[in-house]
Amino acid sequence: MEHKIVLIPGDGIGPEIVGEAKKVLDRVCEKSGHTFLYEEVLLGGASIDVHGVPLTDEAVAVARSADAVLMGSIGGNTATSPWYKLEPSKRPEAGLLRIRKELNLFANLRPAYLYSQLKDACPLRPDIIGDGFDMLIMRELTGGLYFGERRTYEQDGLRTAMDTLVYNEEEIRRIAVKGFEIAKKRRNKVTSVDKANVLDSSRLWRKVVEEVAVHYPDVELEHMLVDNCAMQLVRDPGQFDVILTENMFGDILSDEASMVTGSIGMLSSASLNETKFGLYEPSHGSAPDIAGQDKANPIATILSAAMMLRYSLDLDGEADAVEQAVQRVLEQGYRTVDIMSEGCTCVGTREMGELISKAI
Ligand code: NAD
């Protein structure tokens, strides 16, 4: 089958890590007989340098016409790069916010998976790690507290500020459906996280999630209060499969979950809209401190490409093959410098990409 994939190399280490992910995708094509048609667009600093703006309308149109977008990361050194002398709406990050909005990407997925070979990097005790963990945080991305009405004013002579947390049932339903659909591709369990003992928005969240759950009898649903979830993530992370939650809770919990894996260069992510379309990118930034030095770990981007195969292209077998190839290369003791440990072989960005593609 033919699939159209838009590549956004971005800034800093972006072009290096996207290059390695493309190598892996090319290998998938070779092995499976599928054809991926690529088109490249500029975003962030790279677009500012060429077009004067962080994202053009043409780039948005090209991204929209694809089955999926695979991105590196954008941005430069915020203290020294001339991009950060521009007004905020012209800076690299403004392009990223705009493309997410234009493509209506309301569901953010961040897996937190502990590779047995990298257990030493996990800050949790071995008895807590147990057999490891493999969870996915599904965060609502376009509603809630970050998008509600806000103002700062003076009341009774006191400086006062107000933010509002609003969700309607449709916004909750569409993310819940995504959560259950994705749980079906995993271990059939959804933990919906809220603060229903206090917040009206959480009580509606819980009700709508329960209504959606009726259509997924094979998926187990549990509710958990957000404060308990923050605790359970470091007490027994192995209990989670899909964690489904609203914007702010997800923002905080996904950072907590990713930290317990211990390695930023390994963390993939995806942002999805109502269709199968998604934008896939590593969770880390553009690491300008190591750009162009063949030092960046390409695994987060390669694993993001695997998510793209699974969730946008429905190529589950091919996604498994990529994930297994990553496992195999780690088992063989190859490491980039960020995950290097004693007795292992240190390799650069390009060699890591080659080893993984050959292992497919
Ligand atoms: P960063 O994630 O780029 O880097 C933090 C540290 O982790 C650095 O020491 C870096 O060398 C290291 N690192 C990150 N990715 C790595 C990899 N794949 N392999 C090895 N080491 C890696 O965060 P930062 O330094 O705070 O931000 C740098 C730039 O990235 C900023 O302009 C920021 O705005 C941008 N940023 C972009 C995104 C995105 O594109 N979605 C996300 C976060 C930050």
Side-chain angles (χ1 to χ4, degrees), residues 223-241:
H223 298 285
M224 194 177 276
L225 296 175
V226 61
D227 39 350
N228 186 28
C229 183
M231 191 173 74
Q232 295 297 333
L233 277 171
V234 289
R235 200 185 142 266
D236 179 16
Q239 70 184 287
F240 295 110
D241 180 13

Side-chain angles (χ1 to χ4, degrees), residues 13 73-76 84 93 96 281 284-290 297 338:
I13 59 171
S73 34
I74 55 111
Y84 295 92
E93 287 70 16
L96 187 57
E281 56 178 318
H284 57 72
S286 59
D289 52 331
I290 55 166
N297 186 346
D338 57 311

